[in-house]
Amino acid sequence: MYPFLPLPLNSILGLISRCGISFGGLSASFYQQADNGCRPIYGIHQSILSLVQKVGDLSGVETNMGALEMNMSMVSARKADISIQLEQEERRPGKKRKREVDLWMQRAQSLEDQVHKLGKKVRERRSYSCLMLAHQVRGLANEVDKLHEKARFDNGLTLAVKPARGYELQPGELVGQASRTKRDEIWDCLMNEEVLQVGVWGQAGVGKTFLAKHIHDQIVQDCSRFDGACLVNVSQEGTVGMIQTDIVNYLELDLTEVSCVYWGARLREALQGRRLLLILDDVRKPYSLEKLGIALERNGCKLIVTSRSKEVCERMNCHEVVHIPTPPDEIPQELLEEL
């Protein structure tokens, strides 16, 4: 004995047909026999029962699509949060996003596009099979769920990349006891944590830049107190923007889409927590460190200002001022040249 169909066959076939399934292969006698209450052959009967079960599943395709779009919106919100967090972390030099985070963001964007297109198909449902749509909805729902589970990134979004200490300037050999004494005097000031700014002044040609470059290279080569050094040649034409640009390039910050009005704030943020020696060389007039965005602090960044004017050093609030006098005749000529 074979079970009878639970619904009139014409009703079942009509529902199946509306879902895009064709039964053109069934003979007219089959329909006639079915309407008279006759039992169809077992194989066809079982196939139709299986399809009836699938049709029952299809009735919720729009509901499932709605649930998929809701889950996708949660993933999209998480993607937006990660983007903001990455922007903040990557502002600080030495931070680089993990490759797995990049791949997750790319996958989230791809799924956003796919879910949007599938939602449009489900709502229009013109020439698409309901069975096919239901299958696609289930498949995307599984992928979105898995992506959501991987969005935690418990170990952080970025890697700590050791920043470059800087390039050696190689000014030449430091010759003569007087020059070594002045170099050591400047160095001792830098090693004093109470001193954040050191002024070096003297007339043109006495070797201020030469000594500053030696201090720079000593830090770049090996100095546990500092992470690196950056020398900016200010000169007479120097503007706030030009000074900021040199420091930004050293820090490898991307401020191309940031208004110059905010450069000082972005530089200040980038320098916080760093231990760099910044050297402003050949300064002809006082500059506001606040406008430049130079943040100085104990166990943090420090500043050397070289100038022909003692007044410039003092007006820039240098804590210690070192005078480089006109050298005696025994100092080599190469020390007298500003490199």
Side-chain angles (χ1 to χ4, degrees):
M1 300 290 294
Y2 301 123
F4 288 96
L5 291 172
L7 293 173
L9 184 58
N10 283 342
S11 299
I12 294 172
L13 295 179
L15 181 58
I16 292 175
S17 177
R18 287 197 297 273
C19 293
I21 303 171
S22 173
F23 272 80
L26 295 178
S27 65
S29 61
F30 174 81
Y31 289 97
Q32 184 177 1
Q33 292 176 10
D35 287 337
N36 292 332
C38 297
R39 282 167 281 178
I41 59 176
Y42 180 73
I44 296 178
H45 182 199
Q46 290 298 101
S47 298
I48 293 178
L49 285 177
S50 176
L51 288 173
V52 168
Q53 179 64 43
K54 292 181 180 179
V55 168
D57 293 339
L58 291 176
S59 63
V61 65
E62 290 187 357
T63 300
N64 293 339
M65 186 67 224
L68 169 59
E69 289 174 328
M70 178 63 71
N71 290 340
M72 189 69 246
S73 68
M74 296 296 292
V75 172
S76 298
R78 176 59 178 149
K79 180 167 76 76
D81 291 342
I82 289 176
S83 295
I84 294 173
Q85 189 175 345
L86 281 173
E87 182 181 0
Q88 293 175 342
E89 291 190 27
E90 290 181 325
R91 286 178 182 175
R92 305 183 66 84
K95 290 292 185 179
K96 181 180 180 180
R97 71 178 64 188
K98 294 179 179 178
R99 179 61 178 157
E100 63 178 306
V101 175
D102 251 345
L103 293 175
W104 188 94
M105 297 285 281
Q106 293 170 15
R107 185 58 182 154
Q109 182 61 56
S110 174
L111 286 179
E112 281 180 346
D113 297 339
Q114 292 180 56
V115 170
H116 175 73
K117 292 177 181 178
L118 183 57
K120 188 176 181 180
K121 287 182 180 180
V122 170
R123 283 184 288 274
E124 292 178 351
R125 206 187 301 184
R126 294 176 180 174
S127 58
Y128 306 104
S129 163
C130 285
L131 282 174
M132 182 181 298
L133 290 176
H135 175 73
Q136 292 176 353
V137 169
R138 285 195 300 270
L140 274 183
N142 289 334
E143 292 192 51
V144 170
D145 287 342
K146 290 178 182 178
L147 195 68
H148 200 184
E149 291 174 2
K150 296 179 179 179
R152 295 180 59 181
F153 298 109
D154 293 332
N155 295 323
L157 303 175
T158 58
L159 295 171
V161 181
K162 185 177 180 181
R165 297 183 65 87
Y167 296 101
E168 292 186 33
L169 301 175
Q170 301 178 348
E173 185 180 357
L174 192 63
V175 180
Q177 185 58 43
S179 59
R180 292 192 183 93
T181 299
K182 287 301 177 182
R183 188 273 314 273
D184 293 343
E185 184 179 352
I186 299 170
W187 187 263
D188 290 342
C189 291
L190 290 175
M191 294 301 108
N192 183 348
E193 287 303 327
E194 302 299 323
V195 177
L196 302 182
Q197 296 173 240
V198 180
V200 180
W201 73 281
Q203 69 179 41
V206 296
K208 301 183 298 296
T209 301
F210 187 82
L211 291 172
K213 288 181 177 181
H214 266 278
I215 295 289
H216 173 281
D217 281 9
Q218 191 170 346
I219 288 172
V220 169
Q221 291 165 5
D222 184 25
C223 176
S224 59
R225 169 57 184 82
F226 294 99
D227 298 326
C230 171
L231 187 147
V232 178
N233 183 18
V234 180
S235 72
Q236 189 169 356
E237 296 77 20
T239 65
V240 169
M242 291 170 62
I243 296 171
Q244 289 175 330
T245 298
D246 279 357
I247 300 175
V248 163
N249 290 339
Y250 170 81
L251 296 174
E252 297 183 348
L253 296 178
D254 184 5
L255 301 184
T256 52
E257 298 183 2
V258 178
S259 169
C260 60
V261 175
Y262 300 103
W263 276 35
R266 291 293 297 272
L267 269 178
R268 221 170 5 257
E269 183 181 49
L271 290 173
Q272 287 178 352
R274 297 293 301 273
R275 303 193 307 161
L276 299 174
L277 174 63
L278 302 173
I279 302 173
L280 300 184
D281 185 44
D282 195 17
V283 178
R284 307 292 179 88
K285 62 182 179 181
Y287 290 88
S288 166
L289 298 188
E290 183 177 357
K291 289 182 179 179
L292 290 174
I294 295 178
L296 306 178
E297 57 185 351
R298 294 185 61 182
N299 199 36
C301 294
K302 292 194 177 189
L303 175 68
I304 289 179
V305 175
T306 76
S307 177
R308 301 177 185 181
S309 168
K310 181 180 180 181
E311 181 183 0
V312 168
C313 296
E314 291 174 342
R315 289 181 62 184
M316 290 190 67
N317 299 318
C318 292
H319 301 148
E320 293 286 347
V321 178
V322 177
H323 179 227
I324 309 298
T326 303
D329 294 339
E330 64 267 17
I331 299 298
Q333 183 66 29
E334 63 183 14
L335 180 61
L336 308 181
E337 299 174 354
E338 296 288 343
L339 301 179

